[in-house]
Amino acid sequence: KFSICDPCSIQATTTSNSINMIIQILQELPIISIIFDENATATDLLQLVVCIALFWTVFFFFFGMAVRPLVKGKAWLAAAGSRDYDRGGKELYEALGCPVSREEFIERFEDQWPWMQGVLTQHMLGGFLCVPAIFGIGDKNIQASLACLSVLSEMGWEVSDMVGWIYTRWFTPGGKIKVPLGIVILLGLHHSLTITLGLPMVLHYRDNHYLHWLTFDLQFAGAVGLFVTEYTKLLDVSKPKELRQFQALSGFALVVIVITRAFHWVYLCSQLIMTWYQEKAWTFFVVGTLCSLSFSVFNWVFCIEPFYKRFVKFMKMSQEYTSLPAETDAKTRRASLVSLQEAAGNVMISQDDMNAELAELLLQLQQTSRTANKSGRRDTLPPSMFGSRSGRPRRRSSNVLLRSSMGNLSVALNQLHLAGGVKDD
């Protein structure tokens, strides 16, 4: 008699055993052992976060060094930079008080493009770390440890990002000009949820399945949003095939955002709140409930609803452009294409509307402060960012300022500094 074994089962078992063996070896390393330690202290986890922050700092440096020579000067990337210049990039640098030509913008666009791919990689890795816990793969302790590592990884990256901005503002020449205080405050708000609740949740609820799912949703949604934004930058919507890709990817991103930031977000937060209530963990209950409610409102008002409206407008503009008769004159066709490109640019910034709204508030507060100051000094942001000559705030300026991501703005400021575009006087 012969027993027939399933090759797929044998391969899956071998892979699982190999992964477990690798993890056992890694667990022998002191800093790695903290990841899998169920009884890790707050001090242990803080040490781990610091190490992760250093890792991401080094990773982004060498990742940029490796990728930049491979893409620098490529025709497809230069064309994407030119389109990005027309979709609001020009206004971004004008808002920073340092207008650049198309050629200068394209050069800086090519320099910062690898950095954004690094951010995408970081979010994808965070999502993958949660997969074993989501689908019940492997040992339960390893599942929980990897999902919590995703939380700590995000904390480490945010700490690294925040430290970079703070260092630039307070410890480099002309830092207060290059990095306004409003941007630092905005970043603090942007990173507040993970930094505030991340470590306490890992300490007390490392095995909580809802925490694992919530982490996965946030990381996965972030990765999808970054991928769609970065890929659609490469698409020329004047070409039918690429226009259809833009439509499909934007629609997919909208679906992902609605699921992860609306339906599933509400369900997971309600389950965590119920857990805190049942366990009488009142500090978690109060702080967590307030944070959950606040971000739920922000998700809808500043993310989902605007994205949906802009996506609908983009689809309408697409229909108008593609339905133009063959005999349409060049001027009308060009005007329709410009409207379509503007709608496409607005779709790409939709996921950052919460940041844009917060920026608008900060800009208005700073405008009021500047107006009250008789000396009239504006030593942080250029006048173009505070409003028009009529005194009304310019919403477009703040939207453009946050149009791609805080990371893009960080690199843009860095590029300006390296190029001598921002003066220290």
Side-chain angles (χ1 to χ4, degrees):
K1 296 182 179 180
F2 297 91
S3 61
I4 302 177
C5 297
D6 182 3
C8 294
S9 177
I10 295 175
Q11 184 178 4
T13 302
T14 303
T15 302
S16 178
N17 291 338
S18 300
I19 293 175
N20 288 332
M21 183 177 68
I22 293 173
I23 290 176
Q24 288 176 3
I25 294 174
L26 292 175
Q27 285 178 330
E28 300 299 323
L29 301 175
I31 195 66
I32 300 297
S33 64
I34 297 176
I35 299 173
F36 302 95
D37 185 359
E38 296 182 81
N39 300 309
T41 64
T43 302
D44 293 334
L45 295 179
L46 284 173
Q47 291 176 357
L48 182 58
V49 169
V50 171
C51 289
I52 293 174
L54 294 174
F55 166 79
W56 284 123
T57 302
V58 174
F59 169 83
F60 277 98
F61 177 78
F62 285 105
F63 184 84
M65 287 183 60
V67 175
R68 191 170 290 109
L70 300 177
V71 300
K72 186 74 172 178
K74 297 295 182 181
W76 56 269
L77 189 59
S82 181
R83 287 190 296 271
D84 210 44
Y85 183 77
D86 294 327
R87 291 172 178 172
K90 178 182 178 182
E91 292 175 290
L92 168 64
Y93 280 86
E94 288 177 350
L96 289 170
C98 304
V100 295
S101 66
R102 184 180 299 272
E103 291 72 21
E104 291 172 326
F105 179 87
I106 291 174
E107 181 179 358
R108 292 165 188 179
F109 179 87
E110 292 177 349
D111 286 336
Q112 73 185 34
W113 191 81
W115 195 92
M116 288 307 302
Q117 312 321 304
V119 177
L120 173 59
T121 302
Q122 186 269 332
H123 281 75
M124 288 181 62
L125 177 60
F128 282 129
L129 287 173
C130 297
V131 168
I134 298 301
F135 297 103
I137 302 172
D139 179 76
K140 289 188 177 297
N141 178 50
I142 293 177
Q143 294 175 21
S145 298
L146 294 179
C148 290
L149 178 60
S150 177
V151 178
L152 299 175
S153 173
E154 181 66 17
M155 287 183 64
W157 177 77
E158 292 180 352
V159 167
S160 174
D161 186 51
M162 195 71 189
V163 168
W165 282 83
I166 292 174
Y167 176 82
T168 301
R169 174 175 170 81
W170 277 287
F171 300 100
T172 63
K176 292 183 178 180
I177 299 174
K178 290 177 288 188
V179 183
L181 180 61
I183 296 298
V184 178
I185 296 174
L186 182 60
L187 273 168
L189 295 172
H190 182 79
H191 295 322
S192 61
L193 180 62
T194 304
I195 293 176
T196 302
L197 289 176
L199 196 63
M201 286 297 292
V202 171
L203 275 171
H204 298 278
Y205 294 96
R206 73 187 309 274
D207 297 315
N208 190 289
H209 195 58
Y210 302 116
L211 172 63
H212 305 160
W213 258 113
L214 190 63
T215 305
F216 173 79
D217 279 1
L218 293 174
Q219 293 288 314
F220 176 71
V224 169
L226 284 168
F227 170 77
V228 170
T229 299
E230 291 303 301
Y231 184 78
T232 51
K233 286 180 182 179
L234 308 179
L235 299 177
D236 184 354
V237 294
S238 65
K239 300 177 180 179
K241 183 178 179 180
E242 296 187 21
L243 175 59
R244 288 193 293 270
Q245 290 185 56
F246 198 110
Q247 292 170 334
L249 287 171
S250 299
F252 173 67
L254 177 60
V255 171
V256 170
I257 287 176
V258 169
I259 293 174
T260 58
R261 295 197 179 186
F263 298 112
H264 209 209
W265 166 270
V266 172
Y267 169 73
L268 294 173
C269 287
S270 63
Q271 292 299 320
L272 285 172
I273 291 172
M274 185 62 67
T275 299
W276 297 326
Y277 177 78
Q278 292 174 345
E279 296 183 0
K280 298 182 179 180
W282 301 122
T283 301
F284 276 105
F285 179 79
V286 173
V287 177
T289 300
L290 291 176
C291 288
S292 299
L293 291 175
S294 299
F295 276 82
S296 296
V297 173
F298 286 159
N299 281 340
W300 177 259
V301 176
F302 301 134
C303 182
I304 298 173
E305 186 180 23
F307 194 2
Y308 171 75
K309 289 181 177 179
R310 291 177 179 180
F311 177 73
V312 170
K313 180 180 179 180
F314 168 71
M315 296 299 292
K316 180 181 178 181
M317 294 293 101
S318 302
Q319 178 62 29
E320 291 180 0
Y321 177 73
T322 56
S323 62
L324 289 174
E327 62 273 13
T328 303
D329 61 273
K331 183 177 180 180
T332 302
R333 188 174 295 276
R334 174 62 182 169
S336 179
L337 177 59
V338 169
S339 298
L340 176 60
Q341 298 238 12
E342 182 180 355
N346 287 335
V347 168
M348 288 195 299
I349 69 172
S350 294
Q351 296 184 61
D352 291 301
D353 272 359
M354 182 171 71
N355 287 337
E357 294 290 342
L358 292 172
E360 183 67 38
L361 175 61
L362 290 171
L363 292 173
Q364 291 183 23
L365 290 174
Q366 292 192 35
Q367 181 187 22
T368 303
S369 176
R370 296 295 188 276
T371 303
N373 190 342
K374 294 183 180 180
S375 65
R377 293 186 60 190
R378 294 175 181 250
D379 56 354
T380 54
L381 296 174
S384 61
M385 295 182 63
F386 291 94
S388 62
R389 293 182 179 179
S390 63
R392 292 177 298 178
R394 294 174 59 183
R395 177 182 177 82
R396 178 62 178 165
S397 293
S398 62
N399 278 333
V400 168
L401 181 63
L402 278 300
R403 56 174 299 279
S404 52
S405 71
M406 299 308 298
N408 264 338
L409 181 58
S410 174
V411 178
L413 287 168
N414 184 51
Q415 291 296 331
L416 286 170
H417 177 53
L418 294 176
V422 177
K423 304 300 181 183
D424 293 344
D425 51 17

